[in-house]
Amino acid sequence: MHKLGLVGKNISYSFSKKYFTEKFENERLPFEYENFDIKAISELKDIIASNKKLVGLNVTIPYKEAVIPLLDDINKRAKKIGAVNTIRISPKGKLKGYNTDYYGFKKSLQPLLKPHHTSALILGTGGASKAIAYTLKKLKIDFDYVSRTPKSGVKFLYSDLTDQIISSYSIIINCTPVGTYPDVNTCPDIPYDGITSNHILYDLIYNPDQTKFLTCGDIKGAQTCNGYKMLELQAEKAWKIWNLK
């Protein structure tokens, strides 16, 4: 039986194992899925060496960028994005990286867009935000980053944000883990009074399905979306990659 898995840190919250296990059972596919919760990305080599039937991996926080130097090859789009969330393992043990977050985010965001959705704030600058930025570029939506600390390419610190700034960006995307189970009473520190009914609040988090971030958006009448549809879409895209479809 072939094996697939998820590489990340503190990933007990992840739905990926449940999603794929149910898929394999429902479709009677000869695969199993395992979580590999590791403290450092350097452990990846040991995982592959000790799991000879492993043919593919998903990669999540905080390793989407750190995994790249360990790969033998990288898909053109993933290289442009600068982050990998899917790995295909060849019969000879060669690792090729892909990014399916782009596909999942694009397909889940597009149905929500209206003509006034022309600018976005990306909360966070980690690996997940890379695919989001790439997608927004492709959709011709202007965007700026928000971070806790000053760094190249970041326009705002959280401490810089005002109601006026928030109201001037019609899409707010949370790419941080803030609000993920079990810390469900936390949310990104932004001035929610600037949110209006013209906003989209999109949270990449899918556990819980209704984060505090999204609840704050709902209160203000914004359109809200969690990351579960994105997860489903990127997971199916990854499945096609693993099967060379």
Side-chain angles (χ1 to χ4, degrees):
M1 181 178 289
H2 293 304
K3 181 183 285 189
L4 299 166
L6 174 68
V7 173
K9 190 174 185 179
N10 301 325
I11 54 174
S12 60
Y13 69 87
S14 175
F15 284 9
S16 294
K17 183 176 181 179
K18 179 177 183 292
Y19 179 86
F20 278 109
T21 299
E22 289 179 354
K23 177 182 176 68
F24 300 154
E25 290 175 353
N26 293 337
E27 300 179 25
R28 297 182 180 180
L29 297 168
F31 286 83
E32 61 179 333
Y33 196 96
E34 182 176 342
N35 282 351
F36 298 101
D37 203 320
I38 58 178
K39 294 181 179 179
I41 194 60
S42 57
E43 296 176 44
L44 179 63
K45 291 182 180 179
D46 292 335
I47 289 171
I48 293 171
S50 57
N51 290 273
K52 299 299 184 183
K53 295 182 178 180
L54 197 61
V55 295
L57 290 166
N58 293 123
V59 183
T60 191
I61 294 173
Y63 302 127
K64 293 186 180 186
E65 296 169 283
V67 74
I68 291 176
L70 303 181
L71 303 176
D72 298 294
D73 194 10
I74 184 169
N75 169 266
K76 288 182 180 179
R77 175 164 284 153
K79 185 178 290 185
K80 289 180 180 178
I81 292 170
V84 163
N85 77 318
T86 302
I87 298 172
R88 186 177 183 277
I89 304 171
S90 75
K92 294 184 178 181
K94 298 294 185 180
L95 310 182
K96 184 170 183 177
Y98 300 81
N99 190 298
T100 65
D101 282 339
Y102 157 77
Y103 175 83
F105 179 65
K106 181 182 179 183
K107 291 295 184 181
S108 58
L109 178 66
Q110 281 181 310
L112 308 178
L113 295 174
K114 296 177 181 178
H116 67 270
H117 292 130
T118 58
S119 60
L121 271 184
I122 300 176
L123 309 182
T125 58
S129 73
K130 304 281 188 180
I132 303 311
Y134 181 86
T135 305
L136 294 173
K137 285 180 184 177
K138 290 295 184 180
L139 293 173
K140 297 183 179 179
I141 295 173
D142 295 331
F143 64 90
D144 288 304
Y145 284 104
V146 182
S147 179
R148 291 176 297 174
T149 56
K151 58 184 70 175
S152 177
V154 171
K155 185 170 183 177
F156 301 111
L157 300 180
Y158 284 95
S159 57
D160 297 330
L161 297 178
T162 63
D163 292 350
Q164 185 176 5
I165 290 172
I166 291 295
S167 65
S168 67
Y169 289 86
S170 52
I171 308 171
I172 314 290
I173 306 158
N174 179 32
C175 298
T176 78
V178 177
T180 305
Y181 179 85
D183 298 320
V184 297
N185 291 319
T186 61
C187 62
D189 185 16
I190 67 173
Y192 290 92
D193 283 343
I195 302 295
T196 71
S197 58
N198 289 324
H199 277 80
I200 294 172
L201 265 63
Y202 192 114
D203 201 333
L204 268 59
I205 294 170
Y206 50 82
N207 186 11
D209 58 4
Q210 182 70 10
T211 60
K212 189 174 180 180
F213 172 72
L214 296 183
T215 296
C216 290
D218 286 337
I219 291 170
K220 293 294 185 177
Q223 192 169 13
T224 61
C225 181
N226 70 17
Y228 193 73
K229 186 62 178 178
M230 177 179 168
L231 169 68
E232 289 182 320
L233 289 163
Q234 68 92 359
E236 288 302 319
K237 188 71 170 178
W239 175 247
K240 291 181 180 180
I241 289 170
W242 293 325
N243 280 276
L244 293 178
K245 295 179 181 177

